[in-house]
Amino acid sequence: MFESSLVVKNYMEVCVQDTMKVVLPRMRACQCEHCYSDTMAIALNDLPPRYIVTQRGELYSKLSKLRQQFDVDIVSAVTKAIVIVERAPRH
């Protein structure tokens, strides 16, 4: 295998992480490591992956247009995931 400066990344992970930073505190949800990880996994399983190929360390600013299309779906998936985790927290 060869070493490349290109990275394959699921851009939806970045979007979900950014959304969780805003939504978790607003919903006063638990932000411990376990609940955070469970919430993220549930939300990501409810959303389609969006893989991109980018240079290592490249900013995702070019993808802001793509992000706008997903915002409503992401907020909905994160909110739903928070409710699920709050009903049965594993911490």
Side-chain angles (χ1 to χ4, degrees):
M1 194 143 206
F2 59 93
E3 201 168 314
S4 173
S5 63
L6 296 177
V7 176
V8 176
K9 176 77 175 164
N10 180 2
Y11 182 61
M12 196 60 76
E13 287 184 43
V14 174
C15 296
V16 169
Q17 286 174 334
D18 289 347
T19 301
M20 286 179 56
K21 289 177 188 173
V22 175
V23 175
L24 282 170
R26 286 188 183 167
M27 290 186 68
R28 296 186 182 152
C30 179
Q31 296 181 48
C32 76
E33 184 178 1
H34 209 136
C35 288
Y36 181 92
S37 296
D38 285 347
T39 301
M40 183 148 176
I42 292 167
L44 284 169
N45 281 329
D46 205 30
L47 293 163
R50 294 289 181 244
Y51 288 99
I52 58 170
V53 177
T54 183
Q55 294 288 329
R56 248 182 237 279
E58 183 180 324
L59 295 176
Y60 296 107
S61 60
K62 297 177 188 175
L63 299 169
S64 62
K65 187 175 181 179
L66 179 65
R67 171 72 184 261
Q68 291 170 357
Q69 296 172 359
F70 299 135
D71 273 344
V72 173
D73 292 337
I74 294 168
V75 170
S76 176
V78 168
T79 302
K80 179 179 161 185
I82 289 169
V83 170
I84 291 169
V85 171
E86 283 184 341
R87 285 185 184 151
R90 297 188 311 153
H91 56 213

PDB file of all heavy atoms in Angstrom, residues 47-64:
ATOM      1  N   LEU A  47     -28.699   8.469   9.889  1.00  0.00           N
ATOM      2  CA  LEU A  47     -28.390   9.393   8.794  1.00  0.00           C
ATOM      3  C   LEU A  47     -27.572   8.686   7.708  1.00  0.00           C
ATOM      4  O   LEU A  47     -26.800   7.782   8.009  1.00  0.00           O
ATOM      5  CB  LEU A  47     -27.577  10.583   9.327  1.00  0.00           C
ATOM      6  CG  LEU A  47     -28.309  11.512  10.281  1.00  0.00           C
ATOM      7  CD1 LEU A  47     -27.322  12.373  11.056  1.00  0.00           C
ATOM      8  CD2 LEU A  47     -29.299  12.381   9.509  1.00  0.00           C
ATOM      9  N   PRO A  48     -27.718   9.131   6.474  1.00  0.00           N
ATOM     10  CA  PRO A  48     -26.909   8.525   5.406  1.00  0.00           C
ATOM     11  C   PRO A  48     -25.460   9.005   5.503  1.00  0.00           C
ATOM     12  O   PRO A  48     -25.211  10.175   5.794  1.00  0.00           O
ATOM     13  CB  PRO A  48     -27.560   9.047   4.125  1.00  0.00           C
ATOM     14  CG  PRO A  48     -28.184  10.339   4.515  1.00  0.00           C
ATOM     15  CD  PRO A  48     -28.617  10.164   5.956  1.00  0.00           C
ATOM     16  N   PRO A  49     -24.501   8.120   5.285  1.00  0.00           N
ATOM     17  CA  PRO A  49     -23.103   8.567   5.288  1.00  0.00           C
ATOM     18  C   PRO A  49     -22.828   9.442   4.071  1.00  0.00           C
ATOM     19  O   PRO A  49     -23.449   9.257   3.022  1.00  0.00           O
ATOM     20  CB  PRO A  49     -22.304   7.270   5.224  1.00  0.00           C
ATOM     21  CG  PRO A  49     -23.237   6.272   4.645  1.00  0.00           C
ATOM     22  CD  PRO A  49     -24.627   6.696   5.028  1.00  0.00           C
ATOM     23  N   ARG A  50     -21.938  10.379   4.222  1.00  0.00           N
ATOM     24  CA  ARG A  50     -21.525  11.248   3.120  1.00  0.00           C
ATOM     25  C   ARG A  50     -20.003  11.273   3.109  1.00  0.00           C
ATOM     26  O   ARG A  50     -19.388  12.060   3.807  1.00  0.00           O
ATOM     27  CB  ARG A  50     -22.080  12.665   3.290  1.00  0.00           C
ATOM     28  CG  ARG A  50     -23.567  12.748   3.180  1.00  0.00           C
ATOM     29  CD  ARG A  50     -23.991  12.529   1.728  1.00  0.00           C
ATOM     30  NE  ARG A  50     -25.434  12.621   1.600  1.00  0.00           N
ATOM     31  CZ  ARG A  50     -26.210  11.628   1.238  1.00  0.00           C
ATOM     32  NH1 ARG A  50     -25.698  10.452   0.975  1.00  0.00           N
ATOM     33  NH2 ARG A  50     -27.503  11.786   1.126  1.00  0.00           N
ATOM     34  N   TYR A  51     -19.423  10.361   2.359  1.00  0.00           N
ATOM     35  CA  TYR A  51     -17.977  10.247   2.326  1.00  0.00           C
ATOM     36  C   TYR A  51     -17.375  11.246   1.349  1.00  0.00           C
ATOM     37  O   TYR A  51     -17.909  11.478   0.272  1.00  0.00           O
ATOM     38  CB  TYR A  51     -17.556   8.825   1.947  1.00  0.00           C
ATOM     39  CG  TYR A  51     -17.827   7.853   3.061  1.00  0.00           C
ATOM     40  CD1 TYR A  51     -18.968   7.067   3.039  1.00  0.00           C
ATOM     41  CD2 TYR A  51     -16.971   7.769   4.144  1.00  0.00           C
ATOM     42  CE1 TYR A  51     -19.237   6.188   4.077  1.00  0.00           C
ATOM     43  CE2 TYR A  51     -17.233   6.891   5.179  1.00  0.00           C
ATOM     44  CZ  TYR A  51     -18.359   6.111   5.141  1.00  0.00           C
ATOM     45  OH  TYR A  51     -18.633   5.253   6.174  1.00  0.00           O
ATOM     46  N   ILE A  52     -16.279  11.839   1.779  1.00  0.00           N
ATOM     47  CA  ILE A  52     -15.550  12.781   0.937  1.00  0.00           C
ATOM     48  C   ILE A  52     -14.083  12.381   0.935  1.00  0.00           C
ATOM     49  O   ILE A  52     -13.614  11.698   1.848  1.00  0.00           O
ATOM     50  CB  ILE A  52     -15.691  14.237   1.444  1.00  0.00           C
ATOM     51  CG1 ILE A  52     -15.186  14.369   2.891  1.00  0.00           C
ATOM     52  CG2 ILE A  52     -17.122  14.732   1.309  1.00  0.00           C
ATOM     53  CD1 ILE A  52     -15.071  15.779   3.392  1.00  0.00           C
ATOM     54  N   VAL A  53     -13.390  12.784  -0.084  1.00  0.00           N
ATOM     55  CA  VAL A  53     -11.944  12.595  -0.150  1.00  0.00           C
ATOM     56  C   VAL A  53     -11.338  13.987  -0.063  1.00  0.00           C
ATOM     57  O   VAL A  53     -11.720  14.890  -0.808  1.00  0.00           O
ATOM     58  CB  VAL A  53     -11.515  11.909  -1.463  1.00  0.00           C
ATOM     59  CG1 VAL A  53      -9.996  11.802  -1.532  1.00  0.00           C
ATOM     60  CG2 VAL A  53     -12.150  10.538  -1.570  1.00  0.00           C
ATOM     61  N   THR A  54     -10.418  14.159   0.867  1.00  0.00           N
ATOM     62  CA  THR A  54      -9.838  15.468   1.098  1.00  0.00           C
ATOM     63  C   THR A  54      -8.353  15.347   1.393  1.00  0.00           C
ATOM     64  O   THR A  54      -7.876  14.267   1.756  1.00  0.00           O
ATOM     65  CB  THR A  54     -10.574  16.186   2.249  1.00  0.00           C
ATOM     66  OG1 THR A  54     -10.040  17.482   2.417  1.00  0.00           O
ATOM     67  CG2 THR A  54     -10.447  15.428   3.551  1.00  0.00           C
ATOM     68  N   GLN A  55      -7.636  16.420   1.250  1.00  0.00           N
ATOM     69  CA  GLN A  55      -6.238  16.453   1.655  1.00  0.00           C
ATOM     70  C   GLN A  55      -6.186  16.400   3.176  1.00  0.00           C
ATOM     71  O   GLN A  55      -7.055  16.945   3.855  1.00  0.00           O
ATOM     72  CB  GLN A  55      -5.564  17.756   1.178  1.00  0.00           C
ATOM     73  CG  GLN A  55      -5.461  17.885  -0.314  1.00  0.00           C
ATOM     74  CD  GLN A  55      -4.415  16.947  -0.901  1.00  0.00           C
ATOM     75  OE1 GLN A  55      -3.416  16.632  -0.269  1.00  0.00           O
ATOM     76  NE2 GLN A  55      -4.659  16.494  -2.114  1.00  0.00           N
ATOM     77  N   ARG A  56      -5.192  15.755   3.707  1.00  0.00           N
ATOM     78  CA  ARG A  56      -5.017  15.710   5.157  1.00  0.00           C
ATOM     79  C   ARG A  56      -4.978  17.123   5.713  1.00  0.00           C
ATOM     80  O   ARG A  56      -4.234  17.960   5.237  1.00  0.00           O
ATOM     81  CB  ARG A  56      -3.692  15.034   5.498  1.00  0.00           C
ATOM     82  CG  ARG A  56      -3.860  13.724   6.164  1.00  0.00           C
ATOM     83  CD  ARG A  56      -2.511  13.133   6.517  1.00  0.00           C
ATOM     84  NE  ARG A  56      -2.351  11.837   5.924  1.00  0.00           N
ATOM     85  CZ  ARG A  56      -2.861  10.733   6.425  1.00  0.00           C
ATOM     86  NH1 ARG A  56      -3.561  10.762   7.522  1.00  0.00           N
ATOM     87  NH2 ARG A  56      -2.673   9.583   5.839  1.00  0.00           N
ATOM     88  N   GLY A  57      -5.825  17.383   6.709  1.00  0.00           N
ATOM     89  CA  GLY A  57      -5.835  18.682   7.358  1.00  0.00           C
ATOM     90  C   GLY A  57      -6.603  19.759   6.606  1.00  0.00           C
ATOM     91  O   GLY A  57      -6.705  20.875   7.083  1.00  0.00           O
ATOM     92  N   GLU A  58      -7.149  19.447   5.446  1.00  0.00           N
ATOM     93  CA  GLU A  58      -7.887  20.452   4.679  1.00  0.00           C
ATOM     94  C   GLU A  58      -9.157  20.838   5.422  1.00  0.00           C
ATOM     95  O   GLU A  58      -9.835  19.999   6.008  1.00  0.00           O
ATOM     96  CB  GLU A  58      -8.241  19.892   3.304  1.00  0.00           C
ATOM     97  CG  GLU A  58      -8.959  20.884   2.406  1.00  0.00           C
ATOM     98  CD  GLU A  58      -9.279  20.277   1.050  1.00  0.00           C
ATOM     99  OE1 GLU A  58      -8.466  19.482   0.549  1.00  0.00           O
ATOM    100  OE2 GLU A  58     -10.350  20.591   0.519  1.00  0.00           O
ATOM    101  N   LEU A  59      -9.476  22.092   5.394  1.00  0.00           N
ATOM    102  CA  LEU A  59     -10.698  22.559   6.034  1.00  0.00           C
ATOM    103  C   LEU A  59     -11.914  22.108   5.240  1.00  0.00           C
ATOM    104  O   LEU A  59     -11.857  21.938   4.028  1.00  0.00           O
ATOM    105  CB  LEU A  59     -10.701  24.088   6.141  1.00  0.00           C
ATOM    106  CG  LEU A  59      -9.629  24.673   7.038  1.00  0.00           C
ATOM    107  CD1 LEU A  59      -9.689  26.199   6.967  1.00  0.00           C
ATOM    108  CD2 LEU A  59      -9.805  24.209   8.462  1.00  0.00           C
ATOM    109  N   TYR A  60     -13.017  21.934   5.936  1.00  0.00           N
ATOM    110  CA  TYR A  60     -14.236  21.484   5.287  1.00  0.00           C
ATOM    111  C   TYR A  60     -15.096  22.661   4.843  1.00  0.00           C
ATOM    112  O   TYR A  60     -16.267  22.509   4.549  1.00  0.00           O
ATOM    113  CB  TYR A  60     -15.052  20.610   6.256  1.00  0.00           C
ATOM    114  CG  TYR A  60     -14.352  19.335   6.643  1.00  0.00           C
ATOM    115  CD1 TYR A  60     -13.825  19.187   7.913  1.00  0.00           C
ATOM    116  CD2 TYR A  60     -14.227  18.295   5.746  1.00  0.00           C
ATOM    117  CE1 TYR A  60     -13.176  18.022   8.277  1.00  0.00           C
ATOM    118  CE2 TYR A  60     -13.577  17.127   6.102  1.00  0.00           C
ATOM    119  CZ  TYR A  60     -13.065  17.003   7.366  1.00  0.00           C
ATOM    120  OH  TYR A  60     -12.434  15.849   7.713  1.00  0.00           O
ATOM    121  N   SER A  61     -14.531  23.860   4.780  1.00  0.00           N
ATOM    122  CA  SER A  61     -15.317  25.048   4.458  1.00  0.00           C
ATOM    123  C   SER A  61     -15.986  24.948   3.092  1.00  0.00           C
ATOM    124  O   SER A  61     -17.058  25.512   2.875  1.00  0.00           O
ATOM    125  CB  SER A  61     -14.442  26.303   4.519  1.00  0.00           C
ATOM    126  OG  SER A  61     -13.376  26.194   3.599  1.00  0.00           O
ATOM    127  N   LYS A  62     -15.391  24.229   2.174  1.00  0.00           N
ATOM    128  CA  LYS A  62     -15.975  24.071   0.846  1.00  0.00           C
ATOM    129  C   LYS A  62     -17.302  23.328   0.900  1.00  0.00           C
ATOM    130  O   LYS A  62     -18.087  23.370  -0.035  1.00  0.00           O
ATOM    131  CB  LYS A  62     -15.014  23.303  -0.064  1.00  0.00           C
ATOM    132  CG  LYS A  62     -13.712  24.001  -0.324  1.00  0.00           C
ATOM    133  CD  LYS A  62     -12.823  23.110  -1.160  1.00  0.00           C
ATOM    134  CE  LYS A  62     -11.430  23.692  -1.287  1.00  0.00           C
ATOM    135  NZ  LYS A  62     -10.522  22.781  -1.989  1.00  0.00           N
ATOM    136  N   LEU A  63     -17.532  22.643   1.977  1.00  0.00           N
ATOM    137  CA  LEU A  63     -18.713  21.784   2.060  1.00  0.00           C
ATOM    138  C   LEU A  63     -19.892  22.448   2.761  1.00  0.00           C
ATOM    139  O   LEU A  63     -20.874  21.792   3.059  1.00  0.00           O
ATOM    140  CB  LEU A  63     -18.335  20.493   2.786  1.00  0.00           C
ATOM    141  CG  LEU A  63     -17.249  19.693   2.085  1.00  0.00           C
ATOM    142  CD1 LEU A  63     -16.748  18.582   2.974  1.00  0.00           C
ATOM    143  CD2 LEU A  63     -17.752  19.139   0.780  1.00  0.00           C
ATOM    144  N   SER A  64     -19.798  23.745   3.028  1.00  0.00           N
ATOM    145  CA  SER A  64     -20.873  24.410   3.764  1.00  0.00           C
ATOM    146  C   SER A  64     -22.207  24.330   3.024  1.00  0.00           C
ATOM    147  O   SER A  64     -23.263  24.230   3.639  1.00  0.00           O
ATOM    148  CB  SER A  64     -20.519  25.863   4.061  1.00  0.00           C
ATOM    149  OG  SER A  64     -20.344  26.577   2.865  1.00  0.00           O
TER     150      SER A  64
END
